[in-house]
Amino acid sequence: FLTNTWNGISNINEQSSVLVVEPHIACPDDPDREVLSISSNTSLVIEEDKDNIQFTVTRNGPGTDALTVKLYAINLGATRSSDYMTTSLVRTLTFSSGQTTKTEVVSILDDNIPEVAESFALALSDPSFVSGSITRDIVLADTAAVAVVKIDESDSPYGVV
């Protein structure tokens, strides 16, 4: 069993927002393990002219100790600050003892430029306990550590028809 192998995410480069996904090793269930996941309140396909999309980062497990996890915004065709807006490119979410959820709202920006559908992702990475003396594992949930959002165009990519 390999500690801290999360959903196949092997590297997230903060400078260029590169997401490298590789095959992962599944860990057996463990009631002492903290498991983090990200989900959305709506479909992960959204129209460009919609206001926002809400994500929830959920913590399952004992929940007795404070922990942190990084949340990355990754451009996959869509561009942060012109197609969508997050608090920052990367930010650290802190869960206090007993806290089970954190909310992140992403604004979808309608740039009125004719274009095809574009995507971006929110990805969890680098979970750790606030206190360095805790030896329990923290893992990111299989298939639930990355949320890919497709922004459908509201303007024809061919201009006004």
Side-chain angles (χ1 to χ4, degrees):
F1 146 36
L2 188 59
T3 303
N4 290 343
T5 300
W6 315 294
N7 198 36
I9 299 173
S10 62
N11 183 19
I12 297 178
N13 182 314
E14 293 181 36
Q15 301 303 317
S16 61
S17 294
V18 173
L19 174 66
V20 178
V21 179
E22 297 176 349
H24 67 281
I25 298 171
C27 297
D29 288 340
D30 181 346
D32 292 329
R33 180 180 296 130
E34 299 284 351
V35 180
L36 297 168
S37 62
I38 187 168
S39 61
S40 167
N41 67 332
T42 187
S43 167
L44 294 180
V45 177
I46 191 164
E47 292 292 325
E48 183 181 44
D49 57 358
K50 300 300 181 206
D51 291 335
N52 58 49
I53 185 169
Q54 180 176 309
F55 294 88
T56 302
V57 178
T58 304
R59 169 191 191 169
N60 290 304
T64 54
D65 300 291
L67 62 82
T68 63
V69 63
K70 288 186 180 178
L71 179 65
Y72 287 83
I74 302 164
N75 296 337
L76 300 173
T79 304
R80 186 179 167 276
S81 78
S82 65
D83 295 309
Y84 70 98
M85 182 58 71
T86 57
T87 305
S88 61
L89 184 60
V90 59
R91 75 181 209 144
T92 301
L93 304 178
T94 301
F95 287 83
S96 58
S97 176
Q99 187 174 20
T100 59
T101 61
K102 288 283 195 179
T103 301
E104 179 76 10
V105 176
V106 176
S107 298
I108 304 301
L109 307 176
D110 188 354
D111 54 17
N112 293 316
I113 297 171
E115 56 196 352
V116 296
E118 302 169 306
S119 298
F120 70 93
L122 292 184
L124 301 175
S125 185
D126 305 325
S128 64
F129 287 107
V130 172
S131 169
S133 63
I134 299 167
T135 58
R136 287 193 332 270
D137 292 325
I138 308 173
V139 296
L140 300 181
D142 289 344
T143 71
V146 178
V148 177
V149 177
K150 177 183 173 188
I151 304 171
D152 274 343
E153 74 283 351
S154 62
D155 311 295
S156 170
Y158 307 106
V160 178
V161 181

